[in-house]
Amino acid sequence: MTTRKRSGSVSKRQFKEKVVQIYECLLKGDDVSHHNELFWDEFFLLKPKVVTIESEIQKMSLEQLQNAKQNISLLYSRCIEVLDQQHNIRISYGLLTLCALLHAIFKKALDSQIDVIEFLSGFDNLVSNTQKLLNFCHIYLEGEFPDTVKSLCLKVILIVISGVEAINQNSLIEYIMLSPLFDCLVKLLCDVSTRQRHGYDVVLITTLLVNYRKYDATNPYVVKLSILDDEIALNGYGQVITSSLSEFCSQYNIEQVENQNTSWFSSLTNMVGNMFISEEGGFRMQQVRANNALLLAFYEAIHLNRNFITTLAQTQTDASSPPSPNNTLSSMQDIPDLSAVSATFDITTQPSNLLVTFFQYCSIVMQDTKTEAGTNTVKLCFLILGCITEDQYANSLMHDVSLTFKVRLHRLPMRHRKLLSDKTTSSQPLVSTLLDLLVEFILSHMMKKFPMELYILCIGIILRILCYQKKCRIRLNYVWKELWTALISLLRFILQNENYLGKKMNIFDLSIKVVNILNFFITYGDNFLPTPGSYDELYYEVIRMHQVFDNIYLMGLRYSMGDGDFKEDALKLNNALFNVRAIIKHFNPKIEQWLVSANLSTPTEEQILDIVKKNYESLTLKLQDFLDHYERYSEKPRYTPFFLNMVKNILCDTRSNISCSLSSFSNVSTEYSNV
């Protein structure tokens, strides 16, 4: 019995489907048609084996590839020609075969010296073949054709765009730029059903094309995206981003609930470990990295198109796209493409919008800044927030007291506070939630591996918010004490780790920015603080923490008297401390005098506040210039390397996901009842 089973299994393994046999003959360089005029018509009725095409080509040596070059070029041409037929199954199988072939050849080219363009069609046929292919894609994307055909057309375009490691070196993209593809993509976003099915691919293609040679020449996609004013398309673009980020947040919330009943130590270990260290954590980081493409799409829309700002606070009304498979699969599964997953996430179950979702997403991803990938994700999030807070209309939306939301902000597990101390804000303006998010970042990232650049960006966002409030005299009902306490705690951390951090980075630049935020409140607080009592609380915090400011001043004095690299910055820091020290010097003697007269050793907060109120008039402060000025954001040249690297990583991830996404088309024939 055992022998028969083994014999039977061997015979099964030796059996090869007809299409596989044809692949093998093609790749050996054999004449597969044998003068059969109907060969290719019959071939494109055979179900393609995507995995077989890729695996067979990957196994081939350069010599074998050269021997099969003519057949591979023939197959490529036939795949394009069959798109001119009226037979949907042949069109679908032709597109699927084309996807598999292109993906396999591009992948092989990354490891060898072959020229993909010359290899597939030769330079003589390059223009005609490429234009034919793009014309067919245009026809199928705009016309009334099955979803599978549209999806495969988008896959072909994605494979071409992502085929080369450096996007600027991909000359095939020039032909896409000259095609009417952008208008097709806009139409797909405008229609609810096509957006649900193809939204992710549409947004990804748009984002990648916007980043093609964007620093070297005029990019038509940059121009077209910047002037796009179709409200439905822009809203659809935003809904695609919202849906995927929402699904990620939803999955994270479920995991949080599952951890609630575990012990303190095991929960801390599991949450921190699973999030970013263990195999499950590796998958979590994979999920975060997968969403970077949508974050980049969000950034490009915010940065280029002021019309997109109007979509930020709009409550979503339909499930815009399927949830990212990177958010829905277990860590043991492959990652298929987004369009292969059904739309199961309904964002209408609770009031939400892109900003609400983005704030919650930020609160999750900013928990990891220990890895370069994690830091880059948070940096991109902060650049987006910087662009948003520079925009007048976006600020008006976030400060609108009639536009309030409850937002769950996740907090990093820390030893000195309860493990599951996530903060669900009360129903409040979006800017209050943003400030809560930034305060949480300040408090939770004071560590040896200090994310200096992220802190600089964080303080810059706070400054932009304050400048808007001062300019418009908006008195936000916010507990500003939490921000002041966080800023002073940051200064104290810098002091405590001066010897370590001072050798690695310019701690004075950040210190100056932190002190100047406090100076902003001291100088302009009467224009935007909610009550006179808020001003008193600010002075109380400065007086209470006077030792921190005294020591910061001494540190600056020490460096300014030396010959080190930070001498000038140290002088600037001490100049910035003038008003803070003036407050301390003015009120501390009066407090001590009052304690002596009252025969007390320790005053209460109320007593100090009373002393402050009575002694404002005799306080002399210096008017400091340019506190309400900041350098407007400019991507070039400071952030050019960052975005080039981000695009490179997204291209790599896109290529990696192609194989799995193509395998999801294994049941193409079920769409066609006539087959």
Side-chain angles (χ1 to χ4, degrees), residues 233-341:
L234 291 172
N235 196 46
Y237 187 103
Q239 286 178 345
V240 172
I241 299 168
T242 304
S243 182
S244 189
L245 298 188
S246 294
E247 180 64 19
F248 177 92
C249 295
S250 177
Q251 289 282 10
Y252 184 83
N253 289 338
I254 292 171
E255 292 173 15
Q256 293 285 83
V257 171
E258 291 174 352
N259 286 328
Q260 280 183 351
N261 296 325
T262 58
S263 67
W264 185 90
F265 182 76
S266 63
S267 293
L268 180 61
T269 304
N270 288 337
M271 288 176 64
V272 179
N274 288 346
M275 185 70 185
F276 303 114
I277 300 172
S278 66
E279 287 184 12
E280 186 178 336
F283 181 65
R284 172 70 67 196
M285 284 310 304
Q286 188 181 49
Q287 292 176 314
V288 171
R289 180 165 169 165
N291 278 322
N292 281 349
L294 293 177
L295 288 184
L296 183 60
F298 187 16
Y299 165 81
E300 296 295 356
I302 286 289
H303 182 225
L304 296 174
N305 192 318
R306 290 206 69 245
N307 298 314
F308 185 73
I309 299 293
T310 61
T311 70
L312 292 179
Q314 289 184 4
T315 301
Q316 307 296 339
T317 56
D318 67 82
S320 60
S321 68
S324 169
N326 305 288
N327 297 335
T328 57
L329 300 177
S330 72
S331 58
M332 300 305 292
Q333 289 177 286
D334 291 327
I335 304 176
D337 183 79
L338 192 74
S339 59
V341 185

Side-chain angles (χ1 to χ4, degrees), residues 489-585:
S489 297
L490 178 56
L491 289 176
R492 182 168 56 191
F493 175 82
I494 292 172
L495 271 173
Q496 293 170 343
N497 295 273
E498 171 207 340
N499 292 333
Y500 176 77
L501 296 177
K503 296 174 183 177
K504 295 178 173 291
M505 57 194 72
N506 184 356
I507 56 177
F508 292 96
D509 185 33
L510 177 59
S511 300
I512 291 168
K513 294 181 185 301
V514 171
V515 171
N516 278 339
I517 293 292
L518 295 172
N519 281 330
F520 194 103
F521 281 98
I522 293 169
T523 306
Y524 303 119
D526 58 333
N527 289 319
F528 64 89
L529 285 174
T531 63
S534 303
Y535 224 99
D536 302 335
E537 290 177 359
L538 170 62
Y539 278 52
Y540 172 79
E541 289 302 317
V542 170
I543 295 166
R544 185 175 71 88
M545 302 301 292
H546 69 90
Q547 286 187 337
V548 173
F549 297 107
D550 291 341
N551 291 332
I552 280 282
Y553 178 81
L554 292 175
M555 181 185 76
L557 192 63
R558 191 168 68 252
Y559 277 81
S560 65
M561 296 176 67
D563 296 320
D565 296 335
F566 305 127
K567 181 175 181 177
E568 289 188 12
D569 287 326
L571 284 169
K572 290 179 183 178
L573 174 60
N574 280 359
N575 288 334
L577 283 165
F578 182 88
N579 281 345
V580 174
R581 297 187 71 240
I583 292 170
I584 294 169
K585 287 181 179 179

Side-chain angles (χ1 to χ4, degrees), residues 70-87:
Q70 186 174 350
N71 274 356
I72 292 175
S73 180
L74 175 62
L75 177 59
Y76 175 68
S77 299
R78 290 291 186 173
C79 285
I80 296 175
E81 288 175 14
V82 79
L83 301 183
D84 198 21
Q85 294 199 11
Q86 301 299 315
H87 200 293

Side-chain angles (χ1 to χ4, degrees), residues 2 12 16 99-100 134 175 573 585 641 655:
T2 305
K12 285 182 181 179
K16 291 181 180 177
C99 286
L134 292 174
Y175 297 96
L573 174 60
K585 287 181 179 179
R655 284 194 300 271

Side-chain angles (χ1 to χ4, degrees), residues 48 50 83 88-100 102 133 137 140-141 146-159 197-198 201 205 337 339 658 661-666 668 671-672:
V50 173
L83 301 183
N88 280 336
I89 193 67
R90 285 198 179 103
I91 293 171
S92 296
Y93 282 174
L95 283 168
L96 187 53
T97 303
L98 182 61
C99 286
L102 282 172
L133 176 58
C137 287
Y140 294 137
L141 288 174
D147 276 339
T148 295
V149 173
K150 293 180 184 293
S151 189
L152 285 168
C153 286
L154 293 171
K155 287 290 179 285
V156 169
I157 295 168
L158 264 179
I159 291 168
R197 182 77 168 107
H198 312 294
D201 283 349
I205 289 170
D337 183 79
S339 59
I658 288 293
S661 67
L662 293 181
S663 65
S664 67
F665 292 94
S666 58
V668 168
E671 282 198 17
Y672 309 106

